[in-house]
Amino acid sequence: MKNSAIAFIICITLFSISSCNKGKAADDVNSKKQPETETAVSPNVVNKKAVTTIDTADYNKRMLHLSNKDTTGRWPVKTPYPLNGAILPYHRIIAYYGNLYSKRMGILGELPRAEMIQKLQGEVAKWQAADSTMKAIPALHYIAVTAQGAPGKDNMHRMRMPFKQIDTILDWAKPIDALVFLDIQVGHSSLKTEVSELEKYLKLPQVHLGIDPEFSLKNGEVPGTKIGSFTADDVNDAIDILAKIVRENKLAPKVLVIHRFTQGMLTNYKKIKTVPEVQVVIDMDGFGSKILKRSTYLSYIYREPIQFTGFKLFYKNDTKNNPNGLYTPEELLKFTPKPVYIQYQ
């Protein structure tokens, strides 16, 4: 990687860290403390080939549990049943996010490998202790395409990371049986183009996808100067590619994580496809005080249901000038619905 390329990465980290802090006042939510019996789901099921049937009664029970006694009819969302081998709702994913070229884009690149892995495993253990009804599993969520302030050679305002860096993340994940998410910030490019570039990795059973509307600028703006957006059509392009990969390679469903912290970041949400091959998670990506984060979750995640929900925690930005610190697993399990994907930056 040339020095100029590294400079691009450092520049865009300022954009990544400075976002995600909008929302409205929140209402109270109810806690569900009723335990469920855990059925036998192998920890390695996420890495096996899929067959086409699941225990639908068990699936329904788990989805109802995640809805946390929601009475509005929004949750659980009625969607097609997933292929067998689905990660959700049988597991809760605990992910560390970042990029290896920058210590400012997330915990994944901030700490040395051994220290980072140990800290991640500690978070997994906390979540497992907080909710014994769902197996907590680790994940490394790596930013494989970063938006850029400079246009670059092809004028796309994005930079694709070298495949050798993705290979490094895969190597780090293997000893702890972690999932790997490849995250895309498209800049002026498109999801169809950028997801297709990563197909050789998405064919691996342990590799899944993250997409970030914040850095999708459709009208020529420079990333970081304005919050971007994805339409349902954009998201469906990614879903179509993932579904095709799953079918052609006889894989278990892929998980698609979509970051969100404003209304405009995701439009026409009702038109987003739900298919047996892909499990869609809307990840609440805002930072700030607990009250602000909770109101963001209520405003943009709870009220516009798609399938599953996630919650992002910022080790630094959530605790800066906030004496109450990070949300604990026990606190987040009181949310409606309960998040099944937890990301730490």
Side-chain angles (χ1 to χ4, degrees), residues 67-247:
S67 72
N68 219 358
K69 296 181 179 179
D70 180 55
T71 60
T72 66
R74 290 185 176 94
W75 303 92
V77 184
K78 295 180 180 179
T79 64
Y81 289 114
L83 299 179
N84 195 39
I87 297 171
L88 308 173
Y90 309 97
H91 303 78
R92 177 171 282 111
I93 301 166
I94 313 301
Y96 266 13
Y97 171 94
N99 179 282
L100 298 185
Y101 282 132
S102 173
K103 294 184 176 181
R104 300 182 64 184
M105 294 183 78
I107 192 73
L108 178 56
E110 180 181 352
L111 297 180
R113 171 187 176 180
E115 184 179 350
M116 181 272 296
I117 292 294
Q118 183 178 23
K119 190 175 178 69
L120 171 58
Q121 290 177 309
E123 299 292 2
V124 172
K126 290 177 185 177
W127 276 96
Q128 190 62 68
D131 184 2
S132 62
T133 69
M134 182 178 291
K135 182 172 178 61
I137 57 175
L140 301 180
H141 194 121
Y142 168 70
I143 311 168
V145 181
T146 64
Q148 300 291 305
K153 291 182 179 180
D154 56 5
N155 206 36
M156 287 290 105
H157 283 270
R158 61 93 180 90
M159 178 179 291
R160 297 167 179 162
M161 297 297 101
F163 283 172
K164 66 180 181 180
Q165 219 185 71
I166 298 177
D167 294 336
T168 295
I169 297 298
L170 290 170
D171 289 341
W172 287 11
K174 188 174 181 180
I176 61 170
D177 293 324
L179 303 178
V180 170
F181 285 82
L182 301 181
D183 204 87
I184 294 175
Q185 301 173 356
V186 298
H188 292 179
S189 185
S190 69
L191 279 176
K192 183 178 290 187
T193 298
E194 299 306 321
V195 176
S196 296
E197 288 292 319
L198 296 171
E199 279 196 37
K200 80 168 190 174
Y201 288 106
L202 292 167
K203 291 178 181 178
L204 300 175
Q206 76 275 30
V207 177
H208 302 268
L209 182 65
I211 59 176
D212 197 341
E214 178 183 0
F215 299 103
S216 170
L217 285 307
K218 301 179 181 301
N219 297 310
E221 303 94 343
V222 174
T225 63
K226 180 181 178 180
I227 296 171
S229 67
F230 284 143
T231 66
D233 288 341
D234 294 326
V235 176
N236 288 340
D237 283 341
I239 289 173
D240 287 342
I241 295 171
L242 291 177
K244 184 173 183 288
I245 289 171
V246 168
R247 290 192 300 269

